Amino acid sequence: METEAAGNRVEVATQANEDGATADDMKTDFEITVPVESELSVRTDSGNVTVDSVHGDMTFDTVGANLQLSDVAG
């Protein structure tokens, strides 16, 4: 996992590169808490993304992810 913070921006990235690893071996769960008025940009190839109580601008770039949004505005 790689994390990078610059000013008011935080980036969290993971990459699977283990040959022979099972899906359970490559599973990563994140819970990230942000201020309500945050701007979000989410990119993922798979998995689930849940956003709750965020009222800033949001963009999502996904391939096979399920999105669940509640109490959002932007």
Side-chain angles (χ1 to χ4, degrees):
M1 175 174 67
E2 296 178 26
T3 60
E4 181 179 322
N8 63 355
R9 176 187 162 117
V10 176
E11 184 172 325
V12 179
T14 60
Q15 181 175 327
N17 58 4
E18 302 238 357
D19 292 333
T22 68
D24 285 339
D25 293 336
M26 297 188 297
K27 181 179 177 181
T28 303
D29 293 327
F30 295 103
E31 182 172 329
I32 302 170
T33 303
V34 299
V36 171
E37 296 296 328
S38 294
E39 178 180 317
L40 297 180
S41 176
V42 178
R43 292 178 299 185
T44 184
D45 289 337
S46 62
N48 300 316
V49 175
T50 302
V51 177
D52 183 28
S53 301
V54 176
H55 297 168
D57 290 337
M58 291 177 263
T59 61
F60 299 93
D61 180 9
T62 67
V63 175
N66 296 315
L67 296 175
Q68 180 178 342
L69 307 175
S70 62
D71 186 23
V72 297

